[in-house]
Amino acid sequence: MKNLIFLFLMVVLASSCSGSGSDEGDTIATYITISSDGGNEKLLGNSFTFKIKDNLNNDITSESQIYVNEHLINGNIYKPTEKGVYTITAKYKSLPVNPISVTAVINDGINFKHRILYEDFTGTWCGNCTRAGARAKNLKSLTDDGFVFLGVHGPSGQDPWSNTTTTELEIFKNVTGEDLGWPTMFLNRSIIWPDTENYTDMSLPLALIKASSKIGIKIASTVSGNILDIDTRISFAQDFTGLKIAAFIVEDNLIGKQKNYVEALGPPTIYDYVHHNVLRNKLTSSVAGESIQDTQTVISNEYSRAFQYLIPSEFNRNNLKIIIMVLDGNGNVLNVREEKIGITNNYEFL
């Protein structure tokens, strides 16, 4: 009877972890992809650096021809002289490629650095979840600190780092429903990054990274004993309405075992897998965020919000971070920032 129950649980876990067990596919290159380091939108005067990879994650930039608006460029760096949208394509042998668009914009008024949010609903038991982790690694290699990663572990009872906040977030994003399971990846809370065997194509997140933001975030925190005091400030370079703030505590570099179905990423069980920015708790009253009064979100104003958090003894303080995000009325992340506890940073003016 115990053996039957164990077999049933294994089947449930395998079916919950969506996708197949194969990797990028084979040993033959069948297509190529184009990416723009740091994102597809930059301020006029900055250069775009393009990378070309095949579906096996081989960097073939030096062997490829790159075209901007159908004109061959020398090398892989292009600096626009006018604002506008540019179409980028490439040739390598006879492999197909999807063009991308990049945009040069003018720096008007006050601007701040922009980041996107990458939420990964993952589980140590989920063999396909290593693809989501590989995506974060690949995205980091292509961005200049252009995104904040949030690892949401679950479900309750199946992952050692699940907790009431991860469960609340899973319910809020319907990850426990019939349509979504593990892994599920959201960009800016509103866009699902489809879980496919291709974990090297970064075109979707790179297209979301803007050259700048009209919302600036700075974080200051101090630790006294086991008490963490946080002072968050948000500055606005234009008028906004209907905004929310959401804040979380995460712990980086947690080492543990991870089930793996993707042969290219390691053995069936990876015992020293590094789990990044694991969600530990929320600071705002809801994972959906708290409303900011419209009178506070006007141009040149600075909104402040204080939090206090009791640090559990089992947490590694050296790896704890604060994540602050600002969302619009529909729950889309407009800007996000992270910082280690005990550090004070400044606004990132451009």
Side-chain angles (χ1 to χ4, degrees), residues 171-190:
I171 294 172
F172 174 64
K173 298 305 296 182
N174 198 33
V175 172
T176 57
E178 294 182 359
D179 296 333
L180 300 176
W182 287 264
T184 292
M185 291 150 276
F186 284 97
L187 298 172
N188 286 344
R189 278 274 172 102
S190 58

Side-chain angles (χ1 to χ4, degrees), residues 27-231:
T27 56
I28 300 174
T30 56
Y31 62 89
I32 62 176
T33 60
I34 309 169
S35 62
S36 172
D37 281 13
N40 294 8
E41 183 178 289
K42 293 182 183 294
L43 295 174
L44 187 64
N46 294 325
S47 298
F48 291 92
T49 301
F50 305 111
K51 284 186 180 178
I52 315 299
K53 289 188 176 183
D54 62 24
N55 56 296
L56 304 178
N57 205 27
N58 297 311
D59 190 330
I60 52 173
T61 305
S62 62
E63 306 167 63
S64 304
Q65 294 177 308
I66 300 174
Y67 296 81
V68 176
N69 289 347
E70 300 184 348
H71 296 289
L72 178 67
I73 65 172
N74 183 20
N76 66 319
I77 298 175
Y78 181 73
K79 186 176 181 178
T81 57
E82 297 180 351
K83 69 175 183 177
V85 179
Y86 297 79
T87 300
I88 315 301
T89 190
K91 291 182 180 179
Y92 174 75
K93 297 182 178 179
S94 58
L95 297 181
V97 60
N98 288 325
I100 66 169
S101 294
V102 299
T103 306
V105 298
I106 293 177
N107 189 349
D108 58 332
I110 295 175
N111 291 282
F112 304 95
K113 182 175 178 61
H114 175 254
R115 294 181 181 84
I116 63 171
L117 176 69
Y118 174 17
E119 280 176 306
D120 174 23
F121 289 82
T122 186
T124 58
W125 52 272
C126 171
N128 287 320
C129 287
T130 51
R131 285 201 294 255
R135 282 180 167 182
K137 183 177 180 180
N138 287 326
L139 183 57
K140 185 170 184 174
S141 71
L142 293 172
T143 66
D144 178 21
D145 188 27
F147 75 105
V148 170
F149 181 79
L150 181 61
V152 187
H153 282 249
S156 177
Q158 295 183 28
D159 190 287
W161 295 308
S162 65
N163 53 63
T164 56
T165 299
T166 61
T167 299
E168 181 184 347
L169 194 49
E170 287 159 5
I171 294 172
F172 174 64
K173 298 305 296 182
N174 198 33
V175 172
T176 57
E178 294 182 359
D179 296 333
L180 300 176
W182 287 264
T184 292
M185 291 150 276
F186 284 97
L187 298 172
N188 286 344
R189 278 274 172 102
S190 58
I191 300 171
I192 292 180
W193 194 356
D195 176 37
T196 67
E197 294 179 2
N198 186 338
Y199 51 81
T200 62
D201 183 2
M202 300 291 107
S203 56
L204 180 57
L206 289 175
L208 298 175
I209 300 174
K210 302 301 182 184
S212 62
S213 174
K214 292 298 183 179
I215 296 174
I217 302 171
K218 70 177 182 179
I219 306 167
S221 66
T222 58
V223 181
S224 177
N226 60 350
I227 301 296
L228 173 64
D229 284 297
I230 303 163
D231 178 31

